[in-house]
Every structure is written in structure tokens, then in C-alpha cells.
Amino acid sequence: MTPGSELHSDDAGEVSVSARNSTTSRRQLVSFPLASACACLATTLADKGTAIASEYADMPALRGKDYGKTKMKYPDYVETESGLQYKDLREGSGPAPGIGNMVVVDWDGYTIGYYGRIFEARNKAKGGSFEGDDKVFFKFRLGNSEVIPAFEEAVATMKVGGVRRIIVPPELGYPNNDYNQKGPRPATFSGQRALDFVLRNQGLIDKTLLFDIELIKVIA
């Protein structure tokens, strides 16, 4: 083999090795970012999957709660220490009830925190299955805890002939979200179903209620 050919052979070997090294380097340059990108994508998808799972995961501790709900305050309403808000739609001119008196009232009820659905109508034409043509007025004895706290508190400072609108937060409403435990109770099946849907709903819906109360009579 001639010196020239040996030099050519060595040069070729060096070129071949150099080419292989160059190809390996290019593969490494390409494969490394690709692997990193795949790893980042996998992490992102995993995190996204976790977020989605958390978003739709059942959280028993939150069932029936009103977390995240901001309590509405109405500037034209009076707010008491208990958190009850009320407004007199009509001032009464008759006697005021006292503890131990039997009171006769008529009332409307709405799920104001959930689409404003009516669940009880007073004795006036409103149509639909909520209207009670021969409905007996609601009676209860003041101070005997026969009705929800908000109802008792509101009626205690009314006068006969007055109409009062009250905004009732859940803590002043039906105990254990059950209208069968304390009055007032809807008189119709449609009303019971509308109220029960909101009270027993396990989702994070607002259970704030609105009542219009008319004080008709006070019985000593």
C-alpha cells in the first residue's frame, strides 16, 4: 500500500468517524428536545387530568353547603342582628302580637336564591297549581318555636294589617333542610316539590328564601 493510499485510507477513516460522530450529535440534538417535549407534554396532561378530576370529583364535606356564595345585602331592607333582612310593604294599623298569642297569617314563599321559584301563594289569584281557593290561613303560637326562626322574628314586630317581606338565609330557615320539622309548610304538592328540590339538593346551590307575610289576626 502506498503512502498516498495509506494517507487516503486514514483520511477516509477519519471522515467516516467524523461523519458518524456528526450524525450521532444531530440525533442527540434532535432526540433530546423531543424527549423533553414529550416529558413536558405528559406532565401537562397529567396535571390537566388531575385538575379535571378535581373539578368533577365528589366532595362529601361540601354537600349541601353554600361555600363560595356571597350573602346579598339589599340597601332598602332592614337587617337584624340575626341576619334576617326585611322590608314592610304595608304598615299595619292594628294590634301587635305578644309572646304566647296565636297569630293568623297569610304568606307567599319563593326560592329567591334559585331562580325565584314560588312554592306558596297567598289567597289571591295567581293561577296554576299553587293557587288555593279555599286555603285555611296559617296559624301558630308566637314563642313556641312552631315556625322557622326567621318567620317568628318577623311576625313578632308586625301589626295586624301589615305585609312584610323577609329575606331568609339558610341558618334562619328550615332545620335540617326539612320543611316537615317546622312551619310554614307549602299547602300544595307542587309547592312542596319546588321547595324540597332546593332544600334537599346536594349541589352548591343557594338556599336563601323569600317570604311575604301578611298578619291578619292576633288571638289572645
Side-chain angles (χ1 to χ4, degrees):
M1 185 177 295
T2 63
S5 62
E6 289 177 358
L7 179 61
H8 180 74
S9 175
D10 291 342
D11 289 344
E14 291 176 0
V15 170
S16 176
V17 171
S18 177
R20 283 197 302 272
N21 290 338
S22 177
T23 301
T24 301
S25 298
R26 283 197 301 270
R27 286 176 180 171
Q28 290 173 342
L29 289 173
V30 172
S31 62
F32 180 74
L34 182 60
S36 299
C38 290
C40 291
L41 180 60
T43 302
T44 301
L45 290 175
D47 291 342
K48 186 176 181 181
T50 301
I52 293 174
S54 297
E55 182 179 355
Y56 294 101
D58 183 27
M59 299 182 181
L62 298 182
R63 289 178 188 167
K65 303 297 183 182
D66 293 316
Y67 296 138
K69 302 287 185 181
T70 301
K71 181 180 177 181
M72 294 291 293
K73 290 191 176 182
Y74 301 87
D76 53 340
Y77 282 68
V78 176
E79 184 172 4
T80 67
E81 291 182 1
S82 69
L84 175 70
Q85 297 182 72
Y86 73 89
K87 177 172 68 172
D88 286 321
L89 304 181
R90 184 177 70 208
E91 293 281 353
S93 57
I99 298 298
N101 289 156
M102 181 73 71
V103 294
V104 181
V105 302
D106 202 2
W107 62 285
D108 290 338
Y110 300 85
T111 59
I112 188 177
Y114 188 74
Y115 297 109
R117 293 177 177 172
I118 184 172
F119 58 87
E120 180 74 358
R122 286 189 290 164
N123 272 354
K124 57 185 180 182
K126 287 196 175 184
S129 57
F130 294 97
E131 183 179 348
D133 296 331
D134 300 317
K135 187 183 76 171
V136 177
F137 291 117
F138 180 56
K139 306 176 183 69
F140 68 95
R141 192 168 296 280
L142 200 63
N144 279 14
S145 299
E146 298 173 7
V147 294
I148 60 176
F151 216 82
E152 180 139 9
E153 180 182 351
V155 173
T157 55
M158 293 179 66
K159 292 182 178 181
V160 171
V163 178
R164 178 168 288 182
R165 175 166 292 171
I166 62 174
I167 307 296
V168 182
E171 59 270 21
L172 296 178
Y174 294 96
N176 302 314
N177 294 322
D178 184 1
Y179 64 80
N180 289 305
Q181 294 188 18
K182 287 190 177 183
R185 303 172 184 83
T188 66
F189 175 74
S190 297
Q192 293 168 6
R193 184 171 60 179
L195 178 58
D196 196 55
F197 175 81
V198 171
L199 294 180
R200 295 186 179 276
N201 195 293
Q202 297 298 317
L204 301 181
I205 67 173
D206 190 347
K207 294 178 172 59
T208 301
L209 303 175
L210 179 147
F211 293 90
D212 284 345
I213 308 170
E214 181 180 1
L215 181 56
I216 297 174
K217 189 176 183 180
V218 175
I219 304 173

